């Protein structure tokens, strides 16, 4: 194994710089010569040339003659909006890239150090910088792959009348659930920024008449009495004390009607997660094994009733408040 290749930061940084300077867009607009590209991007032609030649050698862009650059298949991907916001050092991509520099502090202390670099914890930082918050929402939103709303529920979906999507972002998952099951009504709970943006998602999916959004913290009491409380990609954001507080709020709200809590994309049901996640660096959370999650949930009055993977490969765990749990637990 080539250790130096593994540790090499040159290509990732060159890619981030090329995206931030919109080089692919300038080439697509007909500028191929390095002087014209540097002029359009307001940067130094010699330094930009070094970056683009490096990228061309790495397989992104072509350099048919010295100082002239063209798009190839890999470079064309940089024109996609997701790549643009995910890699732009002046925007959300910069937050993610620089957040990795806090990994050593995280490992030394066990606590996320995002605030040390950006002045605020992650979610507050998104609120303070609306354009970065909007880029995050877009990466989570409908354009970022169709959410897999087809997870199994014990007893089937037919008996489900109401769903609350807790930390539901801008509503992509809830909209998909409501679109596929016209008898269900839904509530989205998220911070005010994301909750406000969900109105457009519900409208576009044609489900506004059955969806409402509540802008509040999930650490506060949740709207109570729904059949299903969904947590998708939320529990893995948080360390144990906060993850437990969120689960407790869901258990409290679900037990009113003998409802259940469904946790998606946060628990590894069959293996120990192999890769460290960006959520760990940003927030101190992590993917938990099913055993770890079972223990955490039990401390919050929730019993794991079923666990597995959706067709998409994403994990699901269905829990029942202990007061309501039957002997279906496996
Ligand atoms: C990783 S995103 C997951 C979004 C969505 N569930 C999905 O699967 O795309 C986590 C969500 O938690 C929300 N969030 C963070 N802190 C929150 C809080 N204190 N109360 C409510 N929502 C919060 C964020 O705004 C964000 O939408």
């Amino acid at each position: 194994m080539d250790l130096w290749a593994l540790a090499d930061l040159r290509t990732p940084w060159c890619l981030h710089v090329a995206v931030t300077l919109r080089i692919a867009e300038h080439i697509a607009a007909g500028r191929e010569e390095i002087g014209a590209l540097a002029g359009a991007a307001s940067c130094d032609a010699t330094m930009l040339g070094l970056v683009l030649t490096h990228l061309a050698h790495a397989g992104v862009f072509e350099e048919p003659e010295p100082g002239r650059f063209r798009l190839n298949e890999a470079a064309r991907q940089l024109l996609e909006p997701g790549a643009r916001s995910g890699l732009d050092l002046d925007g959300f991509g910069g937050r993610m890239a620089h957040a990795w520099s806090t990994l050593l502090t995280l490992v030394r202390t066990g606590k996320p150090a995002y605030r040390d670099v950006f002045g605020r914890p992650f979610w507050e930082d998104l609120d303070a910088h609306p354009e970065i918050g909007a880029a995050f929402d877009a990466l989570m939103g409908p354009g970022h792959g169709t959410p897999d709303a087809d997870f199994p529920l014990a007893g089937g979906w037919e008996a489900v009348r109401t769903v609350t999507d807790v930390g539901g972002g801008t509503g992509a998952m809830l909209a998909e659930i409501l679109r596929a099951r016209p008898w269900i009504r839904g509530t989205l709970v998220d911070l005010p920024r994301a909750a406000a943006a969900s109105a457009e998602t519900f409208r576009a999916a044609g489900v506004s008449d059955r969806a409402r959004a509540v802008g509040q913290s999930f650490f506060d009491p949740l709207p109570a009495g729904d059949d299903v409380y969904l947590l998708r990609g939320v529990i893995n954001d948080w360390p144990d004390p906060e993850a437990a507080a969120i689960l407790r709020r869901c258990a409290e709200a679900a037990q009113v009607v003998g409802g259940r809590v469904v946790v998606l994309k946060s628990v590894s049901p069959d293996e120990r997660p192999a890769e460290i996640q960006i959520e760990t660096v940003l927030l101190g959370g992590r993917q938990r094994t099913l055993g770890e999650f079972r223990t955490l949930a039990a401390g919050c009055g929730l019993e794991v009733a079923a666990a597995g993977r959706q067709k998409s490969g994403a994990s699901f765990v269905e829990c029942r408040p202990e007061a309501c749990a039957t002997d279906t637990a496996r």
Side-chain angles (χ1 to χ4, degrees):
M1 172 180 298
D2 184 347
L3 200 61
W4 291 108
L6 269 184
D8 195 342
L9 298 176
R10 285 176 296 182
T11 305
W13 278 108
C14 286
L15 258 183
H16 279 80
V17 165
V19 168
T20 307
L21 296 174
R22 306 283 186 264
I23 298 303
E25 284 84 343
H26 295 314
I27 295 176
R31 298 181 191 90
E32 295 188 346
E33 192 271 318
I34 190 65
L37 282 171
S42 305
C43 66
D44 184 272
T46 305
M47 295 302 151
L48 179 63
L50 295 177
V51 165
L52 296 184
T53 296
H54 176 89
L55 285 174
H57 278 275
V60 187
F61 300 108
E62 282 167 9
E63 189 172 10
E65 61 188 73
R68 182 168 291 280
F69 296 91
R70 296 213 177 116
L71 297 178
N72 58 7
E73 200 185 327
R76 265 187 283 279
Q77 292 177 45
L78 303 180
L79 295 166
E80 291 165 13
R84 208 177 304 150
S85 65
L87 297 174
D88 183 346
L89 289 169
D90 289 336
F92 185 70
R95 287 297 201 268
M96 297 304 100
H98 290 291
W100 282 106
S101 71
T102 66
L103 182 61
L104 179 60
T105 308
L106 172 79
V107 172
R108 282 194 167 133
T109 64
K111 306 254 180 300
Y114 186 92
R115 181 204 299 257
D116 296 356
V117 177
F118 299 109
R120 298 180 177 85
F122 179 64
W123 300 116
E124 289 176 28
D125 186 40
L126 294 192
D127 276 344
H129 297 91
E131 70 297 347
I132 292 177
F136 172 81
D137 291 341
L139 282 173
M140 292 284 123
H144 196 60
T146 309
D148 187 353
D150 194 21
F151 53 89
L153 282 178
W157 280 89
E158 288 69 24
V160 173
R161 290 281 166 266
T162 51
V163 173
T164 290
D165 192 355
V166 180
T170 53
M173 180 69 169
L174 186 58
E176 185 55 25
I177 290 174
L178 299 184
R179 200 194 51 72
R181 302 176 183 93
W183 63 92
I184 295 181
R185 306 185 70 81
T187 300
L188 177 133
V189 171
D190 206 294
L191 296 171
R193 185 197 77 253
S198 68
E200 176 50 27
T201 313
F202 297 144
R203 195 202 52 73
V207 298
S208 302
D209 56 332
R210 291 180 289 122
R212 67 170 181 145
V214 181
Q216 66 154 79
S217 172
F218 46 42
F219 294 113
D220 294 332
L222 297 169
D226 280 352
D227 298 322
V228 173
Y229 286 80
L230 193 61
L231 288 159
R232 178 178 184 260
V234 169
I235 291 302
N236 57 307
D237 280 348
W238 298 92
D240 285 355
E242 289 85 356
I246 299 165
L247 287 171
R248 249 181 239 114
R249 287 301 186 199
C250 291
E252 221 167 77
Q255 72 177 4
V256 173
V257 291
R260 56 199 117 166
V261 179
V262 176
V263 175
L264 299 178
K265 293 180 79 177
S266 296
V267 176
S268 193
D270 40 21
E271 64 208 21
R272 211 156 49 88
E275 289 177 345
I276 187 166
Q277 310 286 317
I278 184 73
E279 293 87 346
T280 299
V281 178
L282 300 176
L283 298 151
R286 67 198 164 94
Q287 287 279 320
R288 292 173 175 84
T289 63
L290 184 56
E292 289 170 333
F293 178 79
R294 207 186 284 277
T295 306
L296 184 74
C300 306
L302 287 170
E303 191 167 307
V304 171
R309 288 198 182 273
Q310 298 173 254
K311 283 193 208 97
S312 62
S315 68
F316 72 87
V317 183
E318 183 178 333
C319 309
R320 287 193 172 271
E322 265 158 16
C324 324
T326 63
D327 58 358
T328 54
R330 346 181 181 132

